[in-house]
């Protein structure tokens, strides 16, 4: 079945450094890739997304890159701040039989050390 | 406008009891999803509703789980004869269409004793 692998599972960086989280998907038909941030005890919040007709998208300190050939996409956070500490989930939209469900990665716990 | 809401926020039940979890999607959103998040884990797809189409139930883990969506809006996820392994946070999400961004509710934390 469809699968999304996410690495690393935990990531600690010094404040001001960059963080990179990588995901690989299996369904070559996937065409939408959102990233969610989930703070402790809160709902997942969309932070950035990318569609398969685009290779890169940037929003202030956050960027996402997509390599369709290799079937992987990455989240880049620059100039990290303590409030960036959270669990980040990648997802790939898989649409078998018209169901646009998300297949989520297992999450990356990011700790930004002050 | 109002986001996705879920109730109750917390539910503690005894093994073997039935529970109902409710989701109110964003007004106008035609697609509704249920996911399950076990402690420290990712989000596991359970079921998907889109308009008047038959739901995709392919993610439901057993026949103890069922869901319905009345009037194309509110959805109820029912777990019969709950087991301890059902303990998790159950998240609902909605989107304007099947291909659009999903917005999540705050979840219901279910604890089965």
């Amino acid at each position: 079945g469809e699968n999304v692998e996410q690495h690393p599972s935990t990531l600690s960086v010094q404040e001001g450094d960059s963080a990179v989280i990588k995901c690989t998907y299996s369904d070559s038909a996937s065409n939408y890739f959102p990233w969610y941030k989930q703070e402790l005890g809160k709902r997942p919040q969309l932070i950035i997304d990318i569609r398969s007709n685009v290779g890169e998208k940037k929003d202030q300190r956050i960027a996402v890159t997509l390599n369709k050939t290799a079937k992987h996409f990455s989240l880049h956070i620059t100039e990290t701040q303590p409030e960036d500490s959270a669990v980040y989930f990648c997802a790939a939209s898989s649409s078998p039989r018209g169901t646009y469900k998300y297949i989520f990665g297992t999450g990356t716990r990011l700790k930004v050390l002050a | 406008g109002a986001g996705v809401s879920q109730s109750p926020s917390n539910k503690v039940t005894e093994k073997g009891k039935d529970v109902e979890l409710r989701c109110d999607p964003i007004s106008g959103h035609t697609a509704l999803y249920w996911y399950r998040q076990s402690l420290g884990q990712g989000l596991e797809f359970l079921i998907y509703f889109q308009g008047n189409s038959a739901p995709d139930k392919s993610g439901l883990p057993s026949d103890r789980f069922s869901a319905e969506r009345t009037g194309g809006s509110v959805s109820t996820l029912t777990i019969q004869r709950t087991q301890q392994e059902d303990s998790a946070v159950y998240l609902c999400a909605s989107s304007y269409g099947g291909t659009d961004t999903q917005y999540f509710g705050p979840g219901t934390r279910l604890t089965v004793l």
Side-chain angles (χ1 to χ4, degrees), chain A residues 1-5 25-28 30 71 94 96 101 103:
Chain A
E2 306 93 356
N3 183 51
V4 174
E5 294 187 358
Y25 60 98
S26 62
D27 184 358
S28 57
S30 296
K71 291 192 285 187
S94 182
K101 63 184 181 184
I103 305 299

Side-chain angles (χ1 to χ4, degrees), chain B residues 46-58:
Chain B
L46 297 178
I47 189 169
Y48 162 74
F49 296 91
Q50 168 62 299
N52 295 320
S53 302
D56 179 348
K57 306 178 182 179
S58 61

Side-chain angles (χ1 to χ4, degrees), chain A residues 3 5 7-9 11 13 15 17 20 28 36 39 43 50 52 54 59 72 77-79 87 92 96 107 112-113:
Chain A
N3 183 51
E5 294 187 358
H7 300 282
S9 56
L11 178 61
V13 299
E15 182 177 0
D17 288 350
V20 180
S28 57
Y36 285 84
E39 297 178 41
R43 75 187 75 190
I50 192 168
S52 59
V54 175
D59 182 4
H72 67 68
I77 306 174
T78 59
E79 301 173 19
V87 178
V112 179
L113 307 173

Side-chain angles (χ1 to χ4, degrees), chain A residues 32 36 38 43 46 99-100 102, chain B residues 37 56 98 101-102 104-105:
Chain A
Y32 175 65
Y36 285 84
Q38 187 176 31
R43 75 187 75 190
L46 179 74
T99 297
Y100 295 96
Y102 289 176
Chain B
Q37 185 173 32
D56 179 348
T101 299
Q102 295 179 26
F104 283 84

Side-chain angles (χ1 to χ4, degrees), chain B residues 25-26 28-32 49-52 69-75:
Chain B
I26 293 172
H29 280 193
T30 59
L32 186 148
F49 296 91
Q50 168 62 299
N52 295 320
R69 189 178 185 192
T70 55
S73 181
V74 171
S75 178

